[in-house]
Amino acid sequence: MIPLRDDNPSQRLPVVTYALIAANVAAFLYEQSLGPGMRPLFVHWGVVPYRVIASLVGDGSLAAQMTTVFTSLFLHAGWLHLIGNLWYLWIFGDNVEDRLGHIAFLAFYLASGVIAAIMHAALVADSVVPTVGASGAIAGVLGAYAFAFPRAKVLTLVPLIVFFKVVSLPAMFVLGLWFVFQFISGALSTSSGGGVAWGAHIAGFMFGFAMMAILARRRADRPNDVTMLP
């Protein structure tokens, strides 16, 4: 299934979502300009699980490896990788930004990416293959959207054997199915090297869902404003 758009207009301009999309595109165009130099860029600025885990136990610079956790979020291995990630951010990011506010959304996005990257590194701790991509952070956005807007309608392209049909489905169904697919794919995956970082997707989604639930609970527990009479 491919989501095309949601029927859930945001109330304010999602400037952070647009800025993140622009930053990812700019970084990708820079990658393309390097030609053969793109591989060293990934090795230096991507997440290398072995180096990250080693730094967490005191072997190597923790600051340097945490820097790569952030920079890896803006690097992509190809056009399809870039477009696939940014398509989901375009559809679902504006509403999550609207709910959280601009600054909080940026912090949430980056935190989701950090959690996802560290989980991926922990699952393939011996790997020296660099990992790049915004999918862990975007998975956090999807988890947050699933909690905050479960009944929002998502226009979705659904394959039906030999043809496709466009249907309107609840966001919880579309994103829940996405999560189940990530979980099953991760359980079946035996790769410890390159490929798709299924664990990062799962961790990012769960983090986003949980954080939005916590924030909603705090908002619900907050006492109503009271007007004090003179």
Side-chain angles (χ1 to χ4, degrees), residues 118-206:
I118 292 176
M119 176 59 73
H120 171 68
L123 292 173
V124 291
D126 293 332
S127 175
V128 294
V129 178
T131 301
V132 297
S135 54
I138 295 169
V141 173
L142 301 187
Y145 190 104
F147 180 87
F149 310 102
R151 298 182 183 85
K153 297 298 182 182
V154 179
L155 201 64
T156 308
L157 188 65
V158 179
L160 297 174
I161 305 177
V162 294
F163 62 94
F164 290 88
K165 184 175 183 179
V166 176
V167 296
S168 183
L169 299 170
M172 181 59 83
F173 178 81
V174 174
L175 299 178
L177 192 61
W178 180 91
F179 177 77
V180 170
F181 176 76
Q182 306 303 311
F183 191 86
I184 293 174
S185 299
L188 296 177
S189 175
T190 58
S191 173
S192 61
V196 178
W198 305 110
H201 297 177
I202 295 168
F205 187 95
M206 293 178 65

Coordinates of all heavy atoms in Angstrom, one line a residue, residues 118-206:
I118 N 20.5 4.3 17.5 CA 21.1 3.6 18.6 C 20.5 2.2 18.6 O 21.3 1.2 18.9 CB 21.0 4.3 19.9 CG1 21.8 5.6 19.8 CG2 21.4 3.4 21.1 CD1 21.7 6.5 21.1
M119 N 19.2 2.0 18.5 CA 18.6 0.7 18.5 C 19.2 -0.2 17.3 O 19.5 -1.4 17.5 CB 17.1 0.8 18.3 CG 16.4 -0.6 18.2 SD 16.8 -1.7 19.7 CE 15.8 -0.9 20.9
H120 N 19.3 0.4 16.1 CA 19.9 -0.3 15.0 C 21.3 -0.7 15.3 O 21.7 -1.9 15.0 CB 19.9 0.6 13.8 CG 20.6 0.0 12.6 ND1 20.2 -1.1 11.9 CD2 21.8 0.4 12.0 CE1 21.1 -1.4 11.0 NE2 22.0 -0.5 11.0
A121 N 22.1 0.2 15.9 CA 23.5 -0.1 16.2 C 23.6 -1.3 17.2 O 24.4 -2.1 17.1 CB 24.2 1.1 16.7
A122 N 22.7 -1.3 18.2 CA 22.7 -2.3 19.2 C 22.3 -3.7 18.6 O 22.8 -4.7 19.0 CB 21.7 -1.9 20.3
L123 N 21.4 -3.7 17.6 CA 21.0 -4.9 17.0 C 22.1 -5.6 16.1 O 22.1 -6.8 15.9 CB 19.7 -4.7 16.2 CG 18.5 -4.4 17.1 CD1 17.3 -4.1 16.2 CD2 18.1 -5.6 18.0
V124 N 22.9 -4.7 15.5 CA 24.0 -5.2 14.6 C 25.3 -4.6 15.1 O 26.0 -4.0 14.3 CB 23.6 -4.9 13.1 CG1 22.5 -5.6 12.6 CG2 23.4 -3.4 13.0
A125 N 25.6 -4.9 16.3 CA 26.7 -4.2 17.0 C 28.1 -4.4 16.3 O 29.0 -3.6 16.5 CB 26.8 -4.6 18.4
D126 N 28.2 -5.6 15.6 CA 29.5 -5.9 15.0 C 29.7 -5.4 13.6 O 30.7 -5.5 12.9 CB 29.7 -7.4 15.0 CG 29.9 -8.0 16.4 OD1 30.4 -7.3 17.2 OD2 29.5 -9.2 16.6
S127 N 28.6 -4.7 13.1 CA 28.6 -4.3 11.7 C 29.5 -3.0 11.5 O 29.5 -2.1 12.3 CB 27.2 -4.0 11.2 OG 27.2 -3.4 9.9
V128 N 30.3 -3.0 10.4 CA 31.1 -1.8 10.1 C 30.5 -1.2 8.8 O 31.2 -0.3 8.2 CB 32.5 -2.2 9.9 CG1 33.2 -2.7 11.2 CG2 32.7 -3.3 8.8
V129 N 29.3 -1.6 8.4 CA 28.6 -1.0 7.3 C 27.9 0.3 7.7 O 27.1 0.3 8.6 CB 27.6 -1.9 6.6 CG1 26.9 -1.3 5.5 CG2 28.3 -3.2 6.2
P130 N 28.2 1.4 7.1 CA 27.6 2.7 7.5 C 26.1 2.7 7.1 O 25.7 2.1 6.1 CB 28.3 3.8 6.6 CG 28.9 3.0 5.5 CD 29.2 1.7 6.0
T131 N 25.3 3.2 8.0 CA 23.8 3.3 7.9 C 23.5 4.8 7.7 O 23.9 5.6 8.5 CB 23.1 2.7 9.1 OG1 23.5 1.4 9.3 CG2 21.6 2.8 8.9
V132 N 22.7 5.1 6.7 CA 22.2 6.4 6.4 C 20.7 6.4 6.1 O 20.1 5.4 5.8 CB 23.0 7.0 5.2 CG1 24.5 7.2 5.5 CG2 22.7 6.2 3.9
G133 N 20.1 7.6 6.3 CA 18.7 7.8 6.0 C 17.9 8.3 7.1 O 18.2 8.2 8.3
A134 N 16.8 9.0 6.8 CA 15.9 9.7 7.7 C 14.8 8.8 8.2 O 13.9 9.2 8.9 CB 15.4 10.9 7.1
S135 N 14.8 7.5 7.8 CA 13.6 6.6 8.0 C 13.3 6.4 9.5 O 12.2 6.3 9.9 CB 13.8 5.3 7.3 OG 15.0 4.7 7.6
G136 N 14.4 6.4 10.3 CA 14.1 6.2 11.8 C 13.4 7.4 12.4 O 12.4 7.2 13.2
A137 N 13.8 8.6 12.0 CA 13.1 9.8 12.5 C 11.7 9.9 11.9 O 10.8 10.2 12.7 CB 14.0 11.0 12.1
I138 N 11.6 9.5 10.7 CA 10.2 9.6 10.0 C 9.3 8.5 10.6 O 8.1 8.7 10.8 CB 10.4 9.5 8.5 CG1 11.1 10.7 8.0 CG2 9.0 9.4 7.9 CD1 11.5 10.6 6.5
A139 N 9.9 7.4 11.0 CA 9.1 6.4 11.7 C 8.5 6.9 13.0 O 7.4 6.6 13.4 CB 9.9 5.1 11.9
G140 N 9.3 7.7 13.7 CA 8.8 8.4 14.9 C 7.6 9.3 14.6 O 6.6 9.3 15.3
V141 N 7.7 10.0 13.5 CA 6.6 10.9 13.0 C 5.3 10.0 12.7 O 4.2 10.4 13.1 CB 7.0 11.7 11.8 CG1 5.8 12.4 11.2 CG2 8.1 12.6 12.1
L142 N 5.5 8.9 12.1 CA 4.4 8.0 11.8 C 3.8 7.4 13.1 O 2.5 7.4 13.2 CB 4.8 6.8 10.9 CG 5.5 7.2 9.6 CD1 5.7 5.9 8.8 CD2 4.6 8.2 8.8
G143 N 4.6 7.1 14.1 CA 4.1 6.6 15.3 C 3.3 7.7 16.0 O 2.2 7.4 16.6
A144 N 3.8 8.9 16.0 CA 3.1 10.0 16.6 C 1.7 10.3 15.9 O 0.7 10.6 16.6 CB 4.0 11.3 16.6
Y145 N 1.8 10.2 14.6 CA 0.5 10.5 13.9 C -0.5 9.4 14.2 O -1.7 9.7 14.3 CB 0.9 10.5 12.4 CG -0.3 11.0 11.5 CD1 -0.3 12.2 10.9 CD2 -1.4 10.1 11.2 CE1 -1.3 12.7 10.1 CE2 -2.4 10.6 10.4 CZ -2.4 11.9 9.8 OH -3.4 12.3 9.0
A146 N -0.1 8.1 14.2 CA -1.0 7.0 14.5 C -1.7 7.2 15.8 O -2.9 6.9 16.0 CB -0.2 5.7 14.5
F147 N -1.0 7.7 16.8 CA -1.6 7.9 18.1 C -2.5 9.2 18.1 O -3.6 9.1 18.6 CB -0.6 8.1 19.2 CG -1.2 8.4 20.6 CD1 -1.5 7.3 21.4 CD2 -1.5 9.6 21.0 CE1 -2.2 7.5 22.6 CE2 -2.1 9.9 22.3 CZ -2.4 8.8 23.1
A148 N -2.0 10.3 17.5 CA -2.8 11.5 17.6 C -4.0 11.6 16.7 O -5.0 12.2 17.0 CB -1.8 12.7 17.3
F149 N -3.9 10.9 15.5 CA -4.9 11.0 14.5 C -5.3 9.7 14.0 O -5.2 9.4 12.7 CB -4.4 11.9 13.3 CG -3.9 13.2 13.8 CD1 -2.5 13.4 13.8 CD2 -4.7 14.3 14.2 CE1 -1.9 14.6 14.2 CE2 -4.2 15.5 14.6 CZ -2.8 15.7 14.6
P150 N -5.7 8.8 14.8 CA -6.0 7.4 14.4 C -7.1 7.3 13.4 O -7.2 6.3 12.5 CB -6.3 6.6 15.7 CG -6.8 7.7 16.6 CD -6.0 8.9 16.3
R151 N -8.1 8.2 13.4 CA -9.3 8.1 12.6 C -9.2 9.0 11.3 O -10.1 9.0 10.5 CB -10.5 8.5 13.4 CG -10.8 7.6 14.5 CD -12.1 8.0 15.3 NE -12.4 7.1 16.4 CZ -11.8 7.3 17.6 NH1 -11.0 8.4 17.8 NH2 -12.1 6.5 18.6
A152 N -8.1 9.7 11.2 CA -7.9 10.5 10.0 C -7.9 9.6 8.8 O -7.3 8.5 8.8 CB -6.6 11.3 10.1
K153 N -8.4 10.1 7.7 CA -8.5 9.3 6.5 C -7.3 9.5 5.6 O -6.8 10.6 5.4 CB -9.7 9.6 5.7 CG -11.1 9.3 6.4 CD -11.2 7.8 6.7 CE -12.5 7.5 7.4 NZ -12.6 6.1 7.7
V154 N -6.7 8.4 5.1 CA -5.5 8.4 4.3 C -5.9 7.8 2.9 O -6.3 6.7 2.8 CB -4.4 7.7 4.9 CG1 -3.1 7.7 4.0 CG2 -4.0 8.2 6.3
L155 N -5.8 8.6 1.9 CA -6.0 8.1 0.5 C -4.9 7.2 0.1 O -3.7 7.7 0.1 CB -6.2 9.3 -0.5 CG -6.9 9.0 -1.8 CD1 -8.4 8.7 -1.5 CD2 -6.8 10.2 -2.7
T156 N -5.1 6.0 -0.2 CA -4.1 5.0 -0.3 C -4.2 4.2 -1.6 O -5.3 3.8 -2.0 CB -4.2 4.0 0.9 OG1 -4.2 4.7 2.1 CG2 -3.0 3.0 0.9
L157 N -3.1 4.0 -2.2 CA -3.0 3.1 -3.4 C -2.8 1.7 -3.0 O -1.8 1.4 -2.4 CB -1.9 3.6 -4.4 CG -1.8 3.0 -5.8 CD1 -3.0 3.4 -6.6 CD2 -0.5 3.4 -6.4
V158 N -3.8 0.8 -3.3 CA -3.8 -0.5 -2.9 C -3.7 -1.5 -4.1 O -4.5 -1.4 -5.0 CB -5.1 -0.9 -2.1 CG1 -5.0 -2.4 -1.6 CG2 -5.2 0.0 -0.9
P159 N -2.6 -2.4 -4.1 CA -2.5 -3.3 -5.2 C -3.5 -4.5 -5.0 O -3.6 -5.0 -4.0 CB -1.1 -3.8 -5.1 CG -0.7 -3.6 -3.6 CD -1.5 -2.4 -3.1
L160 N -4.2 -4.8 -6.1 CA -5.2 -5.8 -6.1 C -4.9 -6.8 -7.3 O -5.5 -6.7 -8.4 CB -6.6 -5.3 -6.3 CG -7.1 -4.4 -5.1 CD1 -8.5 -3.8 -5.5 CD2 -7.2 -5.2 -3.8
I161 N -3.9 -7.6 -7.1 CA -3.4 -8.7 -8.0 C -2.9 -8.0 -9.3 O -1.7 -7.9 -9.5 CB -4.6 -9.7 -8.3 CG1 -5.1 -10.3 -7.0 CG2 -4.0 -10.8 -9.2 CD1 -6.2 -11.3 -7.2
V162 N -3.8 -7.7 -10.3 CA -3.3 -7.2 -11.5 C -3.6 -5.7 -11.8 O -3.3 -5.2 -12.8 CB -3.9 -8.0 -12.7 CG1 -3.4 -9.4 -12.7 CG2 -5.4 -7.9 -12.7
F163 N -4.2 -5.0 -10.8 CA -4.5 -3.6 -10.9 C -4.4 -2.9 -9.6 O -4.3 -3.6 -8.5 CB -5.8 -3.4 -11.6 CG -7.0 -3.9 -10.8 CD1 -7.7 -3.1 -10.0 CD2 -7.4 -5.2 -11.0 CE1 -8.8 -3.6 -9.3 CE2 -8.5 -5.7 -10.3 CZ -9.2 -4.9 -9.4
F164 N -4.5 -1.6 -9.6 CA -4.5 -0.9 -8.3 C -5.8 -0.1 -8.1 O -6.5 0.2 -9.1 CB -3.3 0.2 -8.4 CG -2.0 -0.4 -8.4 CD1 -1.3 -0.8 -9.5 CD2 -1.3 -0.5 -7.2 CE1 -0.1 -1.3 -9.5 CE2 0.0 -1.1 -7.1 CZ 0.6 -1.5 -8.3
K165 N -6.1 0.1 -6.9 CA -7.3 0.8 -6.5 C -7.0 1.8 -5.4 O -6.2 1.5 -4.5 CB -8.4 -0.1 -6.0 CG -9.7 0.6 -5.7 CD -10.8 -0.4 -5.3 CE -12.1 0.3 -5.1 NZ -13.2 -0.7 -4.7
V166 N -7.6 3.0 -5.6 CA -7.3 4.1 -4.6 C -8.5 4.1 -3.6 O -9.7 4.2 -4.0 CB -7.2 5.4 -5.3 CG1 -7.1 6.5 -4.2 CG2 -6.0 5.5 -6.2
V167 N -8.2 3.9 -2.3 CA -9.2 3.8 -1.3 C -8.9 4.7 -0.2 O -7.7 5.0 0.1 CB -9.5 2.4 -0.8 CG1 -10.0 1.5 -1.9 CG2 -8.2 1.8 -0.2
S168 N -9.9 5.1 0.6 CA -9.7 6.0 1.8 C -9.7 5.1 3.0 O -10.7 4.4 3.3 CB -10.8 7.0 1.9 OG -10.5 7.9 3.0
L169 N -8.6 5.0 3.8 CA -8.5 4.1 4.9 C -8.1 4.9 6.2 O -7.5 6.0 6.1 CB -7.4 3.1 4.7 CG -7.6 2.1 3.5 CD1 -6.4 1.3 3.2 CD2 -8.8 1.2 3.7
P170 N -8.5 4.4 7.4 CA -8.1 5.1 8.6 C -6.6 5.1 8.8 O -5.9 4.1 8.4 CB -8.8 4.3 9.7 CG -9.9 3.5 9.0 CD -9.4 3.3 7.6
A171 N -6.1 6.2 9.3 CA -4.6 6.3 9.5 C -4.1 5.1 10.4 O -3.0 4.6 10.1 CB -4.3 7.6 10.1
M172 N -4.8 4.8 11.4 CA -4.4 3.7 12.3 C -4.2 2.4 11.5 O -3.3 1.6 11.8 CB -5.3 3.5 13.5 CG -4.9 2.4 14.4 SD -3.2 2.7 15.2 CE -3.7 3.9 16.5
F173 N -5.1 2.1 10.6 CA -5.0 0.9 9.8 C -3.7 1.0 8.9 O -3.0 0.0 8.8 CB -6.2 0.7 8.9 CG -6.2 -0.5 8.1 CD1 -6.4 -1.8 8.6 CD2 -5.8 -0.4 6.7 CE1 -6.4 -2.9 7.8 CE2 -5.8 -1.5 5.9 CZ -6.0 -2.8 6.4
V174 N -3.6 2.1 8.2 CA -2.5 2.2 7.2 C -1.1 2.2 7.9 O -0.2 1.4 7.6 CB -2.6 3.6 6.4 CG1 -1.4 3.8 5.6 CG2 -3.9 3.6 5.6
L175 N -1.0 3.0 9.0 CA 0.3 3.0 9.7 C 0.5 1.8 10.6 O 1.6 1.4 10.8 CB 0.3 4.3 10.6 CG 0.2 5.6 9.7 CD1 0.3 6.8 10.6 CD2 1.4 5.7 8.7
G176 N -0.6 1.2 11.1 CA -0.5 0.0 11.9 C 0.0 -1.1 11.0 O 0.9 -1.9 11.4
L177 N -0.5 -1.2 9.8 CA -0.1 -2.2 8.8 C 1.4 -2.0 8.4 O 2.2 -3.0 8.3 CB -0.9 -2.2 7.6 CG -0.8 -3.4 6.6 CD1 -1.2 -4.7 7.3 CD2 -1.7 -3.2 5.4
W178 N 1.8 -0.7 8.3 CA 3.2 -0.4 8.0 C 4.1 -0.9 9.2 O 5.1 -1.5 8.9 CB 3.3 1.1 7.9 CG 4.7 1.6 7.6 CD1 5.3 1.8 6.4 CD2 5.7 1.9 8.6 NE1 6.6 2.2 6.6 CE2 6.9 2.3 7.9 CE3 5.8 1.9 10.0 CZ2 8.1 2.7 8.5 CZ3 6.9 2.3 10.6 CH2 8.1 2.7 9.9
F179 N 3.7 -0.7 10.4 CA 4.4 -1.2 11.5 C 4.5 -2.7 11.6 O 5.6 -3.3 11.8 CB 3.8 -0.6 12.8 CG 4.6 -1.1 14.1 CD1 5.8 -0.6 14.5 CD2 4.0 -2.2 14.8 CE1 6.4 -1.0 15.6 CE2 4.7 -2.6 16.0 CZ 5.9 -2.0 16.3
V180 N 3.4 -3.4 11.3 CA 3.4 -4.8 11.3 C 4.4 -5.4 10.3 O 5.1 -6.3 10.5 CB 2.0 -5.4 11.1 CG1 2.0 -6.9 10.9 CG2 1.1 -5.1 12.3
F181 N 4.4 -4.7 9.1 CA 5.3 -5.1 8.0 C 6.7 -5.0 8.5 O 7.6 -5.8 8.2 CB 5.0 -4.3 6.8 CG 6.0 -4.6 5.7 CD1 5.8 -5.8 4.9 CD2 7.0 -3.7 5.3 CE1 6.7 -6.1 3.9 CE2 7.9 -4.0 4.3 CZ 7.8 -5.2 3.6
Q182 N 7.0 -3.8 9.1 CA 8.4 -3.6 9.6 C 8.8 -4.7 10.6 O 9.9 -5.2 10.6 CB 8.5 -2.2 10.3 CG 8.1 -1.1 9.4 CD 8.8 -1.0 8.1 OE1 10.0 -1.0 8.1 NE2 8.1 -0.8 7.0
F183 N 7.9 -5.0 11.5 CA 8.1 -6.0 12.6 C 8.4 -7.4 12.0 O 9.4 -8.1 12.3 CB 7.0 -6.1 13.5 CG 7.3 -6.8 14.8 CD1 7.9 -6.2 15.9 CD2 7.0 -8.2 14.9 CE1 8.1 -6.9 17.0 CE2 7.2 -8.9 16.0 CZ 7.8 -8.3 17.1
I184 N 7.5 -7.8 11.0 CA 7.7 -9.1 10.4 C 9.0 -9.2 9.6 O 9.8 -10.1 9.7 CB 6.5 -9.4 9.5 CG1 5.3 -9.6 10.4 CG2 6.8 -10.7 8.7 CD1 4.0 -9.8 9.6
S185 N 9.3 -8.1 8.8 CA 10.5 -8.0 8.0 C 11.7 -8.1 8.9 O 12.7 -8.7 8.6 CB 10.5 -6.8 7.2 OG 9.4 -6.8 6.3
G186 N 11.7 -7.4 10.0 CA 12.8 -7.4 11.0 C 13.0 -8.8 11.6 O 14.1 -9.2 11.8
A187 N 11.9 -9.4 11.9 CA 12.0 -10.8 12.5 C 12.6 -11.8 11.5 O 13.3 -12.7 11.9 CB 10.6 -11.2 13.0
L188 N 12.3 -11.6 10.3 CA 12.7 -12.5 9.2 C 14.1 -12.2 8.7 O 14.8 -13.0 8.1 CB 11.8 -12.6 8.1 CG 10.3 -13.1 8.4 CD1 9.5 -13.0 7.1 CD2 10.4 -14.5 8.9
S189 N 14.6 -11.0 9.0 CA 15.9 -10.6 8.5 C 17.0 -11.2 9.2 O 17.0 -11.3 10.5 CB 16.0 -9.1 8.6 OG 17.3 -8.7 8.2
T190 N 18.0 -11.7 8.5 CA 19.2 -12.3 9.1 C 20.4 -11.5 8.8 O 21.5 -11.9 9.1 CB 19.4 -13.8 8.6 OG1 19.5 -13.7 7.2 CG2 18.2 -14.6 9.0
S191 N 20.3 -10.4 8.1 CA 21.4 -9.6 7.7 C 22.0 -8.8 8.9 O 21.3 -8.2 9.7 CB 21.0 -8.6 6.6 OG 22.1 -7.7 6.3
S192 N 23.3 -8.8 9.0 CA 24.0 -8.0 10.0 C 24.8 -6.9 9.3 O 25.6 -6.2 10.0 CB 24.9 -8.8 10.9 OG 25.9 -9.5 10.1
G193 N 24.6 -6.8 8.0 CA 25.4 -5.8 7.3 C 24.5 -4.7 6.7 O 23.8 -4.0 7.4
G194 N 24.5 -4.6 5.4 CA 23.7 -3.6 4.7 C 22.3 -4.0 4.6 O 21.8 -5.0 5.1
G195 N 21.5 -3.2 3.8 CA 20.1 -3.5 3.7 C 19.2 -2.5 4.5 O 19.7 -1.4 4.8
V196 N 18.0 -2.9 4.7 CA 17.1 -2.0 5.4 C 17.2 -2.1 6.9 O 17.3 -3.3 7.5 CB 15.6 -2.3 5.0 CG1 14.6 -1.4 5.8 CG2 15.4 -2.1 3.5
A197 N 17.2 -1.0 7.6 CA 17.4 -1.0 9.1 C 16.0 -1.2 9.7 O 15.4 -0.2 10.3 CB 18.1 0.2 9.6
W198 N 15.5 -2.4 9.7 CA 14.1 -2.7 10.2 C 14.0 -2.3 11.7 O 13.0 -1.7 12.1 CB 13.8 -4.1 10.1 CG 13.9 -4.6 8.6 CD1 14.8 -5.5 8.2 CD2 13.0 -4.3 7.5 NE1 14.6 -5.8 6.8 CE2 13.5 -5.0 6.4 CE3 12.0 -3.4 7.4 CZ2 12.9 -4.9 5.2 CZ3 11.4 -3.3 6.1 CH2 11.9 -4.0 5.0
G199 N 15.1 -2.6 12.5 CA 15.0 -2.3 13.9 C 14.9 -0.8 14.2 O 14.2 -0.4 15.1
A200 N 15.5 0.0 13.3 CA 15.4 1.4 13.5 C 14.0 1.9 13.2 O 13.5 2.8 13.9 CB 16.4 2.1 12.5
H201 N 13.4 1.3 12.2 CA 12.0 1.7 11.9 C 11.1 1.4 13.1 O 10.2 2.2 13.5 CB 11.5 1.0 10.7 CG 12.3 1.3 9.4 ND1 12.0 0.7 8.2 CD2 13.3 2.2 9.2 CE1 12.8 1.2 7.3 NE2 13.6 2.1 7.9
I202 N 11.2 0.2 13.6 CA 10.4 -0.3 14.7 C 10.6 0.6 16.0 O 9.6 1.1 16.6 CB 10.7 -1.8 15.1 CG1 10.3 -2.6 13.9 CG2 9.9 -2.2 16.4 CD1 10.8 -4.1 14.0
A203 N 11.9 0.9 16.3 CA 12.2 1.7 17.5 C 11.7 3.1 17.3 O 11.1 3.7 18.2 CB 13.7 1.7 17.7
G204 N 11.9 3.7 16.1 CA 11.4 5.0 15.9 C 9.9 5.1 16.0 O 9.4 6.1 16.6
F205 N 9.2 4.2 15.4 CA 7.7 4.2 15.5 C 7.2 4.1 16.9 O 6.3 4.8 17.4 CB 7.1 3.1 14.6 CG 5.6 3.1 14.5 CD1 5.1 3.7 13.4 CD2 4.8 2.5 15.4 CE1 3.7 3.7 13.2 CE2 3.4 2.5 15.3 CZ 2.9 3.1 14.2
M206 N 7.8 3.1 17.7 CA 7.3 2.9 19.1 C 7.7 4.1 19.9 O 6.9 4.5 20.8 CB 8.0 1.7 19.6 CG 7.6 0.4 19.0 SD 8.4 -1.1 19.6 CE 7.8 -1.1 21.3

